[in-house]
Amino acid sequence: MQRIINFVLRYRNAFLYAFFAFISLVMTIRSHSYHQSKFFNSSRWVTGSIYGAGSDVSSYFSLQEENKRLVEENQQLRKMLFNAQYDSIDPLNSSLAVYQVLDAKLIKNSFTSPRNYILIDKGVKDGVHQDMGVITTDGILGIVENVSNNFATVQSVLNTKSNINAKIKGTQYFGSLIWDTKDYTAVQLIDIPRLVPLVVGDTIVTGGMSSIFPENVPIGIIKKYDLDDAKSFYNIDVELFSDMANIKNVYLIENKDKEEIEELESRTIE
């Protein structure tokens, strides 16, 4: 206690100066409308800045919630779209729908190697398994290759091992979608006969001939084309709808009939 008293006595002049300065400031503000206006304007600015900062923080978390809600809505809409071809099925009834859709976030992405892979934040515990199709909000992305309990790796369409059934939208002309490693914004559609009329800008979609992707999932548009060496089939450059260098949210597609179809096909081949 004595130390506090000694401290006050030692700096009593400073305390007295601060006290009288405060009294003078208050009297000046109360007796002059200009200073009073400046004081309250400054107060409003400080208060507004504090509330503004608080509002920005609230808006940030609100945007996160809004983004989550939009992802979930997009997931449901895609599920309805993929199951719309089955007239007798209620697309919102999970027990009846042929295609189920899961959402996930991208953790790691590569697009400059000959064999590119993508890491996502969903795994076995979330219902993810090998050979599920993966898409973005814009188009096709790849196929799940390996799965752990909490994560999965996706073989990108930008991979020399990738081979996906695709077709020209609105037709039944099918081919194989591959990648020549030259450009991460484009893949190649091969095995399209030369008799097929092509137009630059035509849309390419999944063909639905595999049990991985539903039919008509967007892929891209025809960028250019020419004939192969035998002059029998086209080599078509397809500009991807998905921006392969800028991906955050993805959707995984599960075909509940996949195992039954593949088992039947294997027995037929034998």
Side-chain angles (χ1 to χ4, degrees):
M1 187 66 181
Q2 186 62 43
R3 289 183 178 180
I4 296 174
I5 294 172
N6 291 338
F7 175 80
V8 173
L9 290 174
R10 181 182 303 175
Y11 295 102
R12 61 183 180 277
N13 293 333
F15 288 134
L16 284 171
Y17 175 79
F19 174 74
F20 286 121
F22 175 74
I23 294 298
S24 299
L25 178 63
V26 171
M27 294 179 66
T28 300
I29 291 172
R30 295 185 63 181
S31 61
H32 294 82
S33 59
Y34 173 78
H35 294 94
Q36 191 174 24
S37 173
K38 285 293 184 181
F39 174 76
F40 285 112
N41 284 340
S42 298
S43 299
R44 282 195 292 269
W45 178 83
V46 172
T47 304
S49 297
I50 293 172
Y51 279 113
S55 177
D56 289 343
V57 172
S58 299
S59 297
Y60 172 76
F61 288 106
S62 296
L63 284 173
Q64 284 189 321
E65 289 298 319
E66 179 69 10
N67 183 62
K68 181 180 178 182
R69 184 183 65 81
L70 289 174
V71 168
E72 292 173 351
E73 286 184 358
N74 205 352
Q75 173 186 337
Q76 289 298 318
L77 288 171
R78 289 179 183 280
K79 179 180 175 181
M80 293 175 64
L81 177 64
F82 296 149
N83 289 288
Q85 59 183 305
Y86 303 96
D87 296 333
S88 61
I89 291 178
D90 177 1
L92 293 179
N93 189 331
S94 296
S95 63
L96 298 177
V98 175
Y99 291 103
Q100 299 293 330
V101 180
L102 303 174
D103 65 275
K105 287 185 178 179
L106 185 143
I107 297 176
K108 186 178 180 181
N109 180 27
S110 65
F111 53 88
T112 58
S113 302
R115 293 184 177 181
N116 292 294
Y117 287 89
I118 296 157
L119 180 66
I120 60 174
D121 69 345
K122 296 290 177 70
V124 173
K125 70 179 182 62
D126 304 295
V128 179
H129 56 78
Q130 191 178 43
D131 289 338
M132 292 180 73
V134 184
I135 62 174
T136 69
T137 54
D138 298 314
I140 195 171
L141 183 62
I143 298 172
V144 173
E145 184 164 298
N146 292 299
V147 185
S148 67
N149 194 45
N150 298 294
F151 304 97
T153 54
V154 178
Q155 183 189 99
S156 171
V157 290
L158 304 180
N159 190 307
T160 54
K161 296 195 301 180
S162 177
N163 193 317
I164 296 172
N165 176 256
K167 69 175 184 176
I168 302 167
K169 185 177 181 179
T171 76
Q172 293 302 311
Y173 294 114
F174 297 91
S176 297
L177 198 73
I178 61 172
W179 187 49
D180 64 6
T181 74
K182 294 179 181 178
D183 182 358
Y184 74 86
T185 67
V187 291
Q188 287 67 48
L189 179 61
I190 59 174
D191 299 331
I192 299 294
R194 63 175 297 171
L195 60 89
V196 177
L198 297 180
V199 177
V200 171
D202 279 351
T203 301
I204 305 300
V205 296
T206 53
M209 291 296 179
S210 75
S211 54
I212 296 176
F213 290 102
E215 187 177 6
N216 292 321
V217 175
I219 296 174
I221 60 172
I222 295 179
K223 185 178 180 181
K224 64 178 182 177
Y225 58 89
D226 54 30
L227 290 170
D228 62 11
D229 293 337
K231 305 297 182 183
S232 299
F233 296 92
Y234 284 114
N235 291 322
I236 305 171
D237 276 3
V238 180
E239 183 177 349
L240 292 167
F241 287 136
S242 294
D243 183 352
M244 302 300 288
N246 184 27
I247 302 169
K248 182 178 181 181
N249 297 306
V250 300
Y251 300 91
L252 294 88
I253 305 170
E254 177 187 19
N255 183 348
K256 294 176 67 175
D257 292 340
K258 182 176 182 298
E259 290 187 7
E260 181 180 347
I261 293 171
E262 290 182 345
E263 181 183 353
L264 179 61
E265 288 178 338
S266 66
R267 291 207 310 265
T268 302
I269 292 173
E270 292 175 0

